[in-house]
């Protein structure tokens, strides 16, 4: 969360930069300058619409950097090397390879002179350069582009774990030919550290920090003609091995000592052995014929002189059958001019080989088979009709075939079904590696959790695990014989002795003073809570709803609205540490603040604004102070009623309408036209259900992909974000308005880390106390403990806040800030994260440091 760099590429690929001159700027803003304009903008990452790569223009105002002309002059004066062509030819034995433009990925949490040095060096060397600010975006970028060089900042462990990131990259298959460099701090001779941890993590090289552009340039050039070139040749070997694997001739490769090192599938098929039975064995250990010793001596006399041998070779397969083969054995020279390998290429002399006949038969049959059964050898999900029908009679086979044909001809298709069918069709004529990759895609698409990320390296963090388990699941089922039944909540009527505000003009002066700056983000909800004796929702609701003209839209009186607010607030539990009417008022305030942002106003109509304000007011009504997981484990009546799915959110939405419509005195909807009421109700319910955390990543990802990315694309193509028709279509389409409203209330609901520090600390203490109470009750009742780290005797509140911000808050508010422009919130987020980090680094577990 908080360590927002001066330049940031979010998961959504939206590019941010800071307008400040300092390297330490922590307020990301969305850029409005385009690559097509051709201007060099300080600190801007430019994404080319043709190459989808980010080029870097150095910030001439940043510390430790110089202007571009000085940089160019330094490089040009120091070397005669000019910028190379994007594509060049490389000779690799008899092969002539074309090497594409080298791609470099820089992973630096924030911009500094070192990252700028490498950026300019890449540009001078003619390399494509991408920059990632977080491990997640780095891994995503690498898996997308497969960079030849990755340079990771290893100097600042407080931003991310460089070694963990390296291990994550190395765990992916494309990384086997990638050069990964660790940028480390310069140490004194006495403090020189071992490089073994770096090597163990998967780093190829270590680079001692040196921001000098010539040093960065030289390092890149050495990589290009050293490790990168070697890895490029190794990648070319994959095509050779693919040729060997697909060859119909049996191929065997042995070492200089005749140890078998490789056999291809054709060899396995011919000889009847599995690869594992052959690899590592001497040729003499594999049965051939009775004359094998003399015959091998004859062959060896020829090939040891460096000559090829070709002739008829009689061998025995695994079953003991003699096989006559045409064999060619070729010696391969290697290091120091010595023979290092022997390659044996053979094929049966007779055309009656069983394997070939079997292959021909399968090919002939496949031509008459239905299309969906092609490539069954490489498609795990393909249905082999022959295999399913061969066990039955001819009649049953025909019926089975007819049934399958009807299934494949069905036209009832959901969107995901269409996607899967398109992928299946693409697999038909794809190379095996592509088909296998698409198999993996299909496996992912067939899961239900398409938007929930895996924890990855965060699995080791118990705070993150417990937060995810407690907030994003419906809990474990009961593990004990105890059953804790929550009785149905009794609805609180409005008591006659309550102090009622007659109207906005009758609000007491102290309360009115507490609400003076309610339009400002710095508004202090706790001051209003104290002034209203823990009843802030009625007063803040009256003022907020009046400002947005809610009564006029609903065609209801202020007295009806006031009665409704009292009913709703009376059904919040003041005994809850966190989920009480003060939290509701806080979310209402944040919602109103977001509704006033220009981009949001462009997107939403008044009915959307009214729905958002009402949803914020009722979104946690009658909250019992326990999580969904607790209710499911306890077998509560609510969990049974809602089938353990979105239990609380469903209850909040349903109860809100029950409370509203049961009494005309507080029924704010009673004068609405039917269709308009249905639209408003649907929007309110949808927003309340969006606060359920199991769909958190789905909502965020849809928002980024459907709104942020298209807006960024319009901007990159030269469009105006104020007047462009494409922008208007993006902002006002019905589907996107729903996504915006969901994102708005989600951000308002968990905006505590973006509040001023003192408010953030207070909210952290309250939610921790509520979780502590839940853990206490779970232990007392013998229920599964959903979040074990929230034990009041051992919990580290700073760690829990750091985990929550890292996992849930940062990405969501990055995306929301890119849309709504919220620099003040992002600054608070940064400051608060640093505060929790400082406590954690001091190994403190409390909300505040001890008094000095």
């Amino acid at each position: 969360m908080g360590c927002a760099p001066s330049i940031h590429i979010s998961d959504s690929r939206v590019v941010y930069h800071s307008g400040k001159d300092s390297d330490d700027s922590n307020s990301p803003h969305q850029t409005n300058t385009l690559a097509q304009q051709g201007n060099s903008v300080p600190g801007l990452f430019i994404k080319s619409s043709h190459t989808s790569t980010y080029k870097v223009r150095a910030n001439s105002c940043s510390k430790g950097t110089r202007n571009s002309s000085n940089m160019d002059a330094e490089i040009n004066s120091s070397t005669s090397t000019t910028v190379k062509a994007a594509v060049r030819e490389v000779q690799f034995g008899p092969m002539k390879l074309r090497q594409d433009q080298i791609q470099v990925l820089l992973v630096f949490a924030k911009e500094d002179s070192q990252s700028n040095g490498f950026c300019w060096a890449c540009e001078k060397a003619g390399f494509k350069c991408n920059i990632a600010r977080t491990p997640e975006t780095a891994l995503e970028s690498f898996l997308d582009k497969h960079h030849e060089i990755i340079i990771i900042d290893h100097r600042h462990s407080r931003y991310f774990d460089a070694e963990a990131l390296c291990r994550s990259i190395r765990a992916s298959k494309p990384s086997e030919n990638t050069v990964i460099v660790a940028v480390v701090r310069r140490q004194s001779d006495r403090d020189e550290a071992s490089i073994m941890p770096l090597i163990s993590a998967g780093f190829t090289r270590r680079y001692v920090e040196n921001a000098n552009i010539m040093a960065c340039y030289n390092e890149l050039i050495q990589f290009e003609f050293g490790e990168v070139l070697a890895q490029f040749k190794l990648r070319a070997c994959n095509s050779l091995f693919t040729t060997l694997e697909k060859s119909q001739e049996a191929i065997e490769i042995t070492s200089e000592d005749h140890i078998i090192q490789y056999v291809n599938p054709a060899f396995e098929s011919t000889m009847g052995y599995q690869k594992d039975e052959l690899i590592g064995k001497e040729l003499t250990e594999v049965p051939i014929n009775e004359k094998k010793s003399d015959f091998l001596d004859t062959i060896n006399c020829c090939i040891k002189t460096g000559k090829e041998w070709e002739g008829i070779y009689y061998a025995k397969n695994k079953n003991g059958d003699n096989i006559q083969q045409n064999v060619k054995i070729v010696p391969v020279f290697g290091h120091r001019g010595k023979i290092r390998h022997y390659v044996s290429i053979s094929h049966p002399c007779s055309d009656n080989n069983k394997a070939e006949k079997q292959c021909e038969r399968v090919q002939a049959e496949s031509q008459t088979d239905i299309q969906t059964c092609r490539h069954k050898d490489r498609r795990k999900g393909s249905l082999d009709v022959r295999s399913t029908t061969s066990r039955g009679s001819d009649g049953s086979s025909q019926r089975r075939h007819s049934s399958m044909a009807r299934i494949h001809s069905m036209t009832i298709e959901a969107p995901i079904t269409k996607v899967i069918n398109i992928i299946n069709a693409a697999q038909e004529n794809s190379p095996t590696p592509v088909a296998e990759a698409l198999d993996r895609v299909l496996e992912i698409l067939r899961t239900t959790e398409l938007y929930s990320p895996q924890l990855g390296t965060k699995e080791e963090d118990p705070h993150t695990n417990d937060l995810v388990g407690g907030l994003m699941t419906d809990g474990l089922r009961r593990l004990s014989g105890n059953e804790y039944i929550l009785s149905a909540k009794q609805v609180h009527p409005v008591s006659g002795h309550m102090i009622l505000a007659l109207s906005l003009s009758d609000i007491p002066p102290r309360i009115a003073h507490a609400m003076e700056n309610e339009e400002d983000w710095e508004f202090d909800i706790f001051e209003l809570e104290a002034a209203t004796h823990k009843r802030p929702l009625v007063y803040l609701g009256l003022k907020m709803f009046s400002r947005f003209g809610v009564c006029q839209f609903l065609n209801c009186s202020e007295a009806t609205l006031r009665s409704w607010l009292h009913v709703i607030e009376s059904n919040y539990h003041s005994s809850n540490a966190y989920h009480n009417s003060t939290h509701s008022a806080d979310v209402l305030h944040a919602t109103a603040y977001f509704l006033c942002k220009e981009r949001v106003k462009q997107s939403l109509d008044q009915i959307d604004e009214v729905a958002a304000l009402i949803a914020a007011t009722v979104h946690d009504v009658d909250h019992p102070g326990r999580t969904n997981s607790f209710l499911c484990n306890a077998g509560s009546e609510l969990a049974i009623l809602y089938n353990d799915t979105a239990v609380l959110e469903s209850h909040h939405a349903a109860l809100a309408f029950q409370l509203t419509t049961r009494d005309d005195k507080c029924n704010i909807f009673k004068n609405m036209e039917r269709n308009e009421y249905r639209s408003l109700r649907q929007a309110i319910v949808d927003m309340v259900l969006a606060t359920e955390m199991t769909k958190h990543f789905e909502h965020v990802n849809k928002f980024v992909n459907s709104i942020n990315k298209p807006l960024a694309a319009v901007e990159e193509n030269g469009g105006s974000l104020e007047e462009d028709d494409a922008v208007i279509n993006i902002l006002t389409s019905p589907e996107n308005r729903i996504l915006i409203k969901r994102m708005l209330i989600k951000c308002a609901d968990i905006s505590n880390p973006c509040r001023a520090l003192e408010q953030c600390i207070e909210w952290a203490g309250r939610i921790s106390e509520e979780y502590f109470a839940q853990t206490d009750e779970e232990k007392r009742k013998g229920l599964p403990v959903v979040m074990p780290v929230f034990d009041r005797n051992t919990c580290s509140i700073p760690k829990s806040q750091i985990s929550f911000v890292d996992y849930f808050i940062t990405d969501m508010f990055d995306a929301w800030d890119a849309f709504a422009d919220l620099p003040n919130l992002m600054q608070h987020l940064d400051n608060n994260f640093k505060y929790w980090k400082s406590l954690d680094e001091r190994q403190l577990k409390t909300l505040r440091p001890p008094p000095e």
Side-chain angles (χ1 to χ4, degrees):
M1 146 229 173
C3 306
S6 58
I7 300 179
H8 175 64
I9 305 173
S10 74
D11 288 347
S12 63
R13 301 296 184 147
V14 177
V15 187
Y16 308 94
H17 76 99
S18 171
K20 297 184 180 181
D21 293 341
S22 170
D23 282 348
D24 299 326
S25 172
N26 290 310
S27 300
H29 303 274
Q30 185 172 354
T31 64
N32 291 316
T33 309
L34 308 175
Q36 287 80 351
Q37 291 175 332
N39 298 325
S40 178
V41 181
L44 175 63
F45 290 76
I46 302 178
K47 179 180 178 184
S48 166
S49 61
H50 301 294
T51 62
S52 296
T53 59
Y54 292 91
K55 295 184 179 179
V56 180
R57 305 296 181 195
N59 188 341
S60 58
C61 299
S62 297
K63 299 175 184 177
T65 63
R66 289 157 289 175
N67 62 50
S68 59
S69 60
N70 290 341
M71 293 179 181
D72 290 338
E74 176 181 344
I75 294 180
N76 289 332
S77 63
S78 303
T79 179
S80 60
T81 304
T82 58
V83 176
K84 294 165 289 303
V87 179
R88 65 188 183 93
E89 294 184 345
V90 176
Q91 194 70 32
F92 180 38
M95 297 179 66
K96 182 169 286 187
L97 309 174
R98 289 172 59 84
Q99 185 177 22
D100 292 330
Q101 186 178 18
I102 292 176
Q103 298 193 74
V104 180
L105 175 61
L106 304 180
V107 187
F108 287 76
K110 60 187 298 185
E111 181 191 24
D112 60 10
S113 58
Q114 183 66 76
S115 66
N116 285 337
F118 275 118
C119 290
W120 274 97
C122 288
E123 188 161 323
K124 190 65 181 175
F127 299 166
K128 292 182 182 178
C129 179
N130 297 96
I131 295 186
R133 298 301 187 201
T134 66
E136 292 79 8
T137 53
L139 189 57
E140 178 187 355
S141 179
F142 171 71
L143 293 176
D144 179 39
K145 300 184 181 301
H146 300 173
H147 306 81
E148 286 84 1
I149 302 172
I150 301 177
I151 301 175
I152 302 176
D153 187 1
H154 193 280
R155 300 168 299 168
H156 308 292
S157 60
R158 67 180 180 275
Y159 295 124
F160 56 80
D161 188 340
E163 293 178 18
L165 172 59
C166 183
R167 283 191 289 269
S168 297
I169 294 174
R170 286 297 184 202
S172 64
K173 189 173 182 179
S175 70
E176 61 184 355
N177 298 120
T178 300
V179 177
I180 306 182
V181 185
V183 178
V184 300
R185 289 186 179 277
R186 185 177 298 278
Q187 304 285 346
S188 64
D189 293 341
R190 183 177 57 186
D191 298 328
E192 182 70 14
S194 169
I195 64 169
M196 288 310 299
L198 298 179
I199 294 175
S200 299
F203 285 101
T204 313
R205 291 279 294 274
R206 179 187 70 168
Y207 178 82
V208 178
E209 64 179 347
N210 184 349
N212 181 275
I213 300 170
M214 198 62 218
C216 296
Y217 177 82
N218 288 339
E219 192 74 3
L220 291 178
I221 297 303
Q222 290 182 72
F223 291 154
E224 180 183 14
F225 291 94
E227 289 93 336
V228 172
L229 182 59
Q231 295 294 345
F232 177 69
K233 292 180 178 180
L234 285 176
R235 285 201 299 273
C237 291
N238 291 334
S239 63
L240 303 180
F241 276 102
T242 300
T243 304
L244 298 179
E245 289 287 295
K246 298 303 177 184
S247 173
Q248 294 184 2
E249 294 181 304
I251 299 173
E252 177 189 62
I253 300 177
T254 65
S255 69
E256 55 194 305
D257 300 319
H258 302 293
I259 304 296
I260 299 175
Q261 295 183 327
Y262 169 83
V263 295
N264 71 343
F267 187 97
E268 293 178 272
S269 177
T270 301
M271 301 303 294
Y273 289 93
Q274 294 297 315
K275 189 174 295 186
D276 293 340
E277 297 175 286
L278 299 172
I279 302 299
K281 292 187 176 181
E282 288 188 28
L283 282 176
T284 54
E285 296 179 54
V286 182
I288 41 177
N289 60 19
E290 290 75 18
K291 301 177 181 179
K292 62 183 180 182
S293 298
D294 295 338
F295 196 50
L296 283 177
D297 288 341
T298 303
I299 296 174
N300 286 336
C301 289
C302 178
I303 61 178
K304 283 189 175 179
T305 62
K307 297 178 181 179
E308 295 181 6
W309 180 89
E310 186 171 2
I312 303 298
Y313 190 99
Y314 287 86
K316 284 186 177 181
N317 64 15
K318 189 175 182 180
N319 295 329
D321 300 325
N322 282 324
I323 300 175
Q324 185 182 20
Q325 297 175 312
N326 284 318
V327 180
K328 177 184 283 189
I329 301 178
V330 182
V332 180
F333 290 84
H335 185 54
R336 296 176 181 172
K338 294 183 178 181
I339 297 173
R340 297 299 181 184
H341 298 93
Y342 296 102
V343 178
S344 171
I345 306 168
S346 60
H347 61 271
C349 295
S350 171
D351 291 333
N352 295 324
N353 177 262
K354 292 181 180 179
E356 289 187 356
K357 292 179 68 177
Q358 175 71 11
C359 180
E360 291 171 0
R361 182 181 65 81
V362 171
Q363 289 175 353
E365 288 180 356
S366 67
Q367 293 175 0
T368 62
D369 201 3
I370 61 173
Q371 283 190 342
T372 53
C373 294
R374 285 193 222 145
H375 301 272
K376 63 183 180 298
D377 57 324
R378 69 188 191 199
R379 284 179 50 193
K380 301 172 187 174
S382 298
L383 177 64
D384 186 346
V385 176
R386 292 190 304 277
S387 67
T388 62
T389 62
S390 60
R391 294 186 294 272
S393 65
D394 291 342
S396 64
S397 296
Q398 292 174 359
R399 287 194 299 274
R400 172 65 176 164
H401 187 90
S402 176
S403 298
M404 290 308 303
R406 287 199 303 274
I407 290 172
H408 285 290
S409 66
M410 284 183 177
T411 58
I412 302 173
E413 285 187 320
I416 190 63
T417 309
K418 293 180 180 179
V419 171
I420 291 174
N421 288 342
I422 291 171
I423 294 173
N424 279 332
Q427 279 186 309
E428 298 297 343
N429 298 312
S430 300
T432 299
V434 176
E436 290 174 350
L438 291 176
D439 273 332
R440 177 61 182 144
V441 172
L442 290 171
E443 288 177 12
I444 295 171
L445 289 177
R446 290 184 179 113
T447 65
T448 56
E449 298 299 326
L450 295 178
Y451 290 91
S452 297
Q454 297 175 343
L455 289 181
T457 57
K458 293 182 182 179
E459 287 180 348
E460 300 173 359
D461 180 6
H463 293 81
T464 301
N465 276 335
D466 284 2
L467 283 169
V468 172
L471 299 178
M472 294 191 64
T473 68
D474 287 322
L476 305 168
R477 296 303 165 252
R478 289 184 296 277
L479 300 180
S480 67
N482 300 324
E483 186 171 286
Y484 177 65
I485 303 296
L486 289 178
S487 61
K489 175 70 174 64
Q490 297 297 317
V491 175
H492 295 297
V494 181
S495 58
H497 64 273
M498 279 186 176
I499 301 174
L500 299 181
L502 300 178
S503 67
L504 280 173
S505 58
D506 297 323
I507 292 177
R510 182 187 175 191
I511 297 175
H513 176 74
M515 293 193 298
E516 280 181 350
N517 67 331
E518 50 87 21
E519 296 183 24
D520 189 0
W521 184 253
E522 308 305 317
F523 170 70
D524 188 353
I525 191 65
F526 298 114
E527 181 182 351
L528 180 61
E529 179 190 58
T532 59
H533 304 289
K534 297 186 177 182
R535 311 291 293 183
L537 186 57
V538 171
Y539 296 97
L540 187 64
L542 281 171
K543 191 166 186 181
M544 292 285 188
F545 281 44
S546 173
R547 177 151 62 91
F548 283 87
V550 174
C551 286
Q552 291 85 343
F553 179 84
L554 297 175
N555 192 24
C556 73
S557 65
E558 185 181 294
T560 303
L561 174 63
R562 184 173 62 249
S563 298
W564 179 78
L565 287 169
H566 273 292
V567 168
I568 297 299
E569 183 160 38
S570 66
N571 280 277
Y572 276 93
H573 300 199
S574 59
S575 57
N576 289 344
Y578 182 87
H579 287 100
N580 48 43
S581 66
T582 303
H583 167 66
S584 173
D586 183 63
V587 175
L588 174 62
H589 172 264
T591 299
Y593 182 82
F594 294 152
L595 289 174
C596 293
K597 306 308 290 184
E598 192 60 36
R599 183 70 65 76
V600 178
K601 288 195 292 185
Q602 281 182 273
S603 309
L604 304 182
D605 296 332
Q606 188 176 14
I607 189 172
D608 300 311
E609 295 177 346
V610 172
L613 294 170
I614 294 175
T617 304
V618 306
H619 82 282
D620 272 334
V621 66
D622 196 36
H623 197 293
R626 300 292 181 265
T627 64
N628 280 332
S629 299
F630 177 94
L631 298 182
C632 294
N633 290 335
S636 73
E637 291 183 7
L638 288 179
I640 294 171
L641 176 63
Y642 295 109
N643 301 312
D644 293 345
T645 304
V647 175
L648 285 172
E649 292 72 25
S650 299
H651 176 60
H652 302 322
L655 181 63
F657 281 92
Q658 290 172 354
L659 294 172
T660 303
T661 57
R662 68 174 46 173
D663 187 349
D664 265 7
K665 293 180 181 179
C666 63
N667 188 353
I668 57 177
F669 306 126
K670 62 185 176 183
N671 296 324
M672 292 190 72
E673 189 270 328
R674 180 183 299 275
N675 289 336
E676 194 170 41
Y677 167 71
R678 287 174 62 85
S679 298
L680 180 65
R681 169 175 157 77
Q682 184 179 14
I684 293 169
V685 171
D686 183 80
M687 292 183 74
V688 173
L689 294 181
T691 62
E692 196 231 348
M693 293 300 288
T694 62
K695 301 290 186 182
H696 172 82
F697 293 100
E698 177 177 345
H699 294 320
V700 174
N701 277 286
K702 285 183 177 178
F703 179 84
V704 169
N705 289 311
S706 299
I707 298 172
N708 278 4
K709 287 185 178 180
L711 288 176
V714 171
E715 185 178 9
E716 288 164 7
N717 292 329
S720 167
L721 292 183
E722 306 300 328
E723 303 173 355
D724 196 289
D725 289 340
V727 172
I728 301 301
N729 292 335
I730 294 169
L731 295 179
T732 60
S733 72
E735 298 83 2
N736 286 351
R737 282 167 55 198
I738 291 173
L739 297 179
I740 291 168
K741 286 184 288 184
R742 289 173 180 172
M743 191 72 166
L744 185 151
I745 196 168
K746 281 183 61 61
C747 290
D749 188 27
I750 52 177
S751 63
N752 306 151
C754 298
R755 292 288 186 180
L757 179 60
E758 285 304 315
Q759 294 186 51
C760 174
I761 294 173
E762 177 65 23
W763 285 124
R766 292 189 178 198
I767 192 63
S768 298
E769 176 54 40
E770 201 165 282
Y771 287 161
F772 292 159
Q774 175 171 309
T775 300
D776 292 343
E777 186 168 358
E778 286 166 335
K779 292 179 178 179
R780 189 168 61 251
K781 299 289 185 180
L783 296 170
V785 178
V786 175
M787 296 181 284
V789 296
F790 283 97
D791 185 313
R792 65 175 70 251
N793 298 316
T794 60
C795 180
S796 168
I797 295 178
K799 282 187 183 297
S800 69
Q801 287 296 303
I802 291 168
S803 297
F804 180 67
V805 168
D806 270 338
Y807 199 73
F808 292 104
I809 298 297
T810 302
D811 290 342
M812 182 175 73
F813 271 93
D814 277 342
W816 188 234
D817 172 51
F819 178 79
D821 188 22
L822 304 163
N824 51 338
L825 275 72
M826 302 308 289
Q827 187 60 57
H828 282 315
L829 188 58
D830 184 35
N831 295 340
N832 296 338
F833 188 81
K834 290 177 179 177
Y835 173 80
W836 298 121
K837 272 285 191 183
S838 67
L839 293 183
D840 185 47
E841 288 168 358
R842 295 169 61 183
Q843 297 184 341
L844 298 175
K845 297 183 177 182
T846 54
L847 288 168
R848 303 176 188 275
E852 295 181 1

